[in-house]
Amino acid sequence: MNNNKLTLDTLESWLWDSADILRGSIDSSDYKNYIFGLLFLKRSNDVFEEEVENIMQREGYSREEAEDDTYFQLPEESRWETIKKHTENIGIALDKAFAGIERENTSLDGVMTATKFGDKEKLSDELLQRLLRHFNQHSLRNDHLESNDLLGDAYEYLIKMFADDAGKKGGEFYTPRGVVQLIVQLIKPEPKQKVYDPTCGSGGMLIESARYIAEQPNGKVGNNVNVSLFGQEKNLGTWAIGKLNMLLHNFMDADIRKGDTLVTPQHKNEHNELTLFDRVIANPPFSMDGWWTPAENSIEVKLDKNGKEKKVKPNYNKVVSDPFGRFQFGIPPRGYADLAFLQHMIAVLKQDGKAGVVLPHGTLFRSGTEGKIRKALLEADLVEGIVGLPSALFYNTGIPASIWIINKNKTEAQKNKVAIIDASSDYKDGKNQNEILPEHITKIVNAYDDAKDVDKYMRIVELAEIADNDYNLNISRFIDTSEPEPIVDIKAVHQNLADLEAKEADINKKLAGFLKELGI
């Protein structure tokens, strides 16, 4: 086994090669589940061995005593050496290995067994043997990695690559890093704060928030980032990936829960009240349909104009009941959950808290119930800023998007104003998706923090002007990016026409002379 320090390039290439082994056996959108599972199994075994050896050396313990004293427990059936001995029913052995890890480490309950390896129609023993041999090529001990966060970086690389490879299915849980970094730098999480993502996917926004905090004064305590991370994810497979992502980035105490945030928010206190956070950051699924479902018995009987009974479904305002009082600004339409997610984020913000969320452009100008909610949010002076993003940034949609910045504690200078930026031109062209680069992020954040008007780019708009526009936040209403029409000099145009006519007459005269000489 190669014990040299692993570089990020080597690690990424090695992990991506594992996808080649799976090609043709399973759908590309499922690669991540199997590769991430084996990656974590190999990593946990190598780190376990490393910790056991360190304890034996430091404390003088026997191996058995050292194994009992490790932070992470690894039962015999989950040991890499045990699994390698199997020549048949390897998938079943792997399933037992993951179940054993969950049994001995209760914080991983449901994480490791979310993917099943025992289906021989998908994963033959021969294929699994090839995968095990492939993952056996490198040591993933901490001492053998070039940096402490190397495995987490490679993990995020694979998430992006799977999004590229699987298209919409892969992109459901991946937000491009440039977008994530932009939101984090706009809301500026601070050391000691609690940061929460209600639709956390694979956890990239939380990890980027922690990275940002680690770079601040007092951002680290020893080797630990001085932050508490919380998240919730509806999709079971994606939730499991998010949990593993946190572990691979050494955020062992990150509180990532599963469930539908709009229906059953999981982070509550002992009084069944929603937990409050300092910073909330999210990229919810765009315009999610069917976010509430009328009860089967919610049919009402009414009388028509002729006095006859008729059965009708009640208005959803009468159907949606929320014991947490999150939708005080109004209940969005059933086919558009965007402002439901936004109101949940507002409900869990502390009174001095800030939130940043990616929403489709339609939330800026759609009328009806959403228009009323938008008006209420603006009148409550909760909207600090709007940043219009470039098109074609996301893997799962071509819908144009924008970032909403929510602030419950605006400064005097910010009150009754909204900072609006048109960043639609700040991107690098890509083959499939466009990309926001660091220089674009710097430009946007500097303009936003400076809080001054920039011609054709940014404006600090008074709430009164927004009200005059019927609370429509369509960016083009406030920032004119059109180029001025060139000024036409009518006198010069007439002179040019006269000159052209004179030249034409001269040409005609010469042509007539030539024709006469030719006898035509």
Side-chain angles (χ1 to χ4, degrees), residues 1-15 39 42-43 46 134-151 153-154:
M1 184 174 292
N2 181 8
N3 287 335
N4 292 329
K5 297 281 187 180
L6 271 180
T7 64
L8 182 60
D9 286 344
T10 301
L11 188 55
E12 287 176 351
S13 176
W14 174 56
L15 293 174
L39 169 64
K42 182 63 164 63
R43 164 70 167 171
D46 289 349
H134 182 77
F135 274 89
N136 201 49
Q137 290 177 0
H138 294 286
S139 167
L140 297 176
R141 293 183 176 213
N142 289 318
D143 282 349
H144 296 162
L145 300 181
E146 193 177 50
S147 71
N148 291 336
D149 203 26
L150 186 69
L151 205 64
D153 288 340

Side-chain angles (χ1 to χ4, degrees), residues 265-280:
Q266 294 295 311
H267 293 89
K268 296 170 286 188
N269 62 22
E270 64 274 14
H271 305 296
N272 202 40
E273 300 168 333
L274 294 175
T275 304
L276 300 182
F277 303 95
D278 302 284
R279 293 290 186 271
V280 183

Side-chain angles (χ1 to χ4, degrees), residues 209-338:
S209 296
R211 277 193 182 125
Y212 179 87
I213 288 172
E215 294 170 357
Q216 312 307 313
N218 304 317
K220 298 194 79 172
V221 178
N223 291 323
N224 298 317
V225 181
N226 194 6
V227 65
S228 300
L229 302 179
F230 303 82
Q232 184 167 340
E233 172 55 40
K234 180 179 179 180
N235 181 281
L236 177 62
T238 307
W239 165 79
I241 288 174
K243 290 277 286 187
L244 294 180
N245 202 6
M246 292 296 155
L247 291 169
L248 291 173
H249 279 89
N250 297 319
F251 296 115
M252 308 293 287
D253 298 324
D255 186 351
I256 310 298
R257 304 188 187 182
K258 56 188 171 183
D260 187 330
T261 301
L262 294 182
V263 178
T264 53
Q266 294 295 311
H267 293 89
K268 296 170 286 188
N269 62 22
E270 64 274 14
H271 305 296
N272 202 40
E273 300 168 333
L274 294 175
T275 304
L276 300 182
F277 303 95
D278 302 284
R279 293 290 186 271
V280 183
I281 184 169
N283 176 20
F286 287 179
S287 301
M288 187 175 76
D289 191 10
W291 68 276
W292 58 264
T293 303
E296 292 182 7
N297 60 354
S298 63
I299 301 298
E300 291 182 347
V301 177
K302 291 187 176 182
L303 298 178
D304 62 19
K305 61 182 179 181
N306 297 318
K308 293 183 178 181
E309 290 186 352
K310 64 176 182 178
K311 294 181 179 180
V312 298
K313 285 188 176 181
N315 184 285
Y316 51 78
N317 286 294
K318 298 180 182 177
V319 179
V320 178
S321 60
D322 178 48
F324 307 104
R326 291 173 293 174
F327 308 124
Q328 58 180 302
F329 299 102
I331 299 176
R334 187 167 180 264
Y336 296 93
D338 308 303

Side-chain angles (χ1 to χ4, degrees), residues 221-486:
V221 178
N223 291 323
N224 298 317
V225 181
N226 194 6
V227 65
S228 300
L229 302 179
F230 303 82
Q232 184 167 340
E233 172 55 40
K234 180 179 179 180
N235 181 281
L236 177 62
T238 307
W239 165 79
I241 288 174
K243 290 277 286 187
L244 294 180
N245 202 6
M246 292 296 155
L247 291 169
L248 291 173
H249 279 89
N250 297 319
F251 296 115
M252 308 293 287
D253 298 324
D255 186 351
I256 310 298
R257 304 188 187 182
K258 56 188 171 183
D260 187 330
T261 301
L262 294 182
V263 178
T264 53
Q266 294 295 311
H267 293 89
K268 296 170 286 188
N269 62 22
E270 64 274 14
H271 305 296
N272 202 40
E273 300 168 333
L274 294 175
T275 304
L276 300 182
F277 303 95
D278 302 284
R279 293 290 186 271
V280 183
I281 184 169
N283 176 20
F286 287 179
S287 301
M288 187 175 76
D289 191 10
W291 68 276
W292 58 264
T293 303
E296 292 182 7
N297 60 354
S298 63
I299 301 298
E300 291 182 347
V301 177
K302 291 187 176 182
L303 298 178
D304 62 19
K305 61 182 179 181
N306 297 318
K308 293 183 178 181
E309 290 186 352
K310 64 176 182 178
K311 294 181 179 180
V312 298
K313 285 188 176 181
N315 184 285
Y316 51 78
N317 286 294
K318 298 180 182 177
V319 179
V320 178
S321 60
D322 178 48
F324 307 104
R326 291 173 293 174
F327 308 124
Q328 58 180 302
F329 299 102
I331 299 176
R334 187 167 180 264
Y336 296 93
D338 308 303
L339 295 183
F341 282 113
L342 182 62
Q343 289 187 83
H344 169 78
M345 294 172 71
I346 291 170
V348 298
L349 264 187
K350 292 182 179 179
Q351 285 306 309
D352 59 350
K354 235 181 198 186
V357 56
V358 182
L359 295 177
H361 254 15
T363 56
L364 300 177
F365 53 78
R366 287 195 293 247
S367 57
T369 306
E370 288 185 298
K372 294 176 182 177
I373 295 171
R374 188 171 56 249
K375 176 183 177 182
L377 291 170
L378 288 162
E379 288 183 335
D381 207 14
L382 290 169
V383 184
E384 178 187 293
I386 301 290
V387 178
L389 295 173
S391 61
L393 288 175
F394 298 91
Y395 291 88
N396 56 346
T397 181
I399 298 174
S402 55
I403 298 171
W404 288 59
I405 305 297
I406 300 296
N407 187 351
K408 281 192 172 181
N409 188 32
K410 285 186 175 183
T411 65
E412 285 300 319
Q414 291 172 327
K415 287 181 179 178
N416 296 310
K417 300 181 182 71
V418 177
I420 299 178
I421 290 181
D422 181 356
S424 58
S425 298
D426 294 329
Y427 66 91
K428 175 188 175 184
D429 279 312
K431 181 179 178 182
N432 297 317
Q433 279 80 35
N434 293 328
E435 184 181 2
I436 297 180
L437 300 178
E439 55 262 36
H440 303 131
I441 296 171
T442 299
K443 176 185 175 184
I444 296 167
V445 173
N446 285 348
Y448 191 88
D449 291 347
D450 201 32
K452 295 177 183 177
D453 289 357
V454 179
D455 188 41
K456 300 186 183 301
Y457 189 71
M458 171 171 170
R459 281 192 62 208
I460 305 297
V461 184
E462 297 279 351
L463 186 59
E465 182 180 346
I466 296 174
D468 290 341
N469 280 273
D470 296 323
Y471 296 94
N472 185 322
L473 285 174
N474 200 344
I475 293 173
S476 61
R477 291 196 174 209
F478 305 100
I479 299 177
D480 181 11
T481 58
S482 63
E483 294 297 327
E485 293 291 334

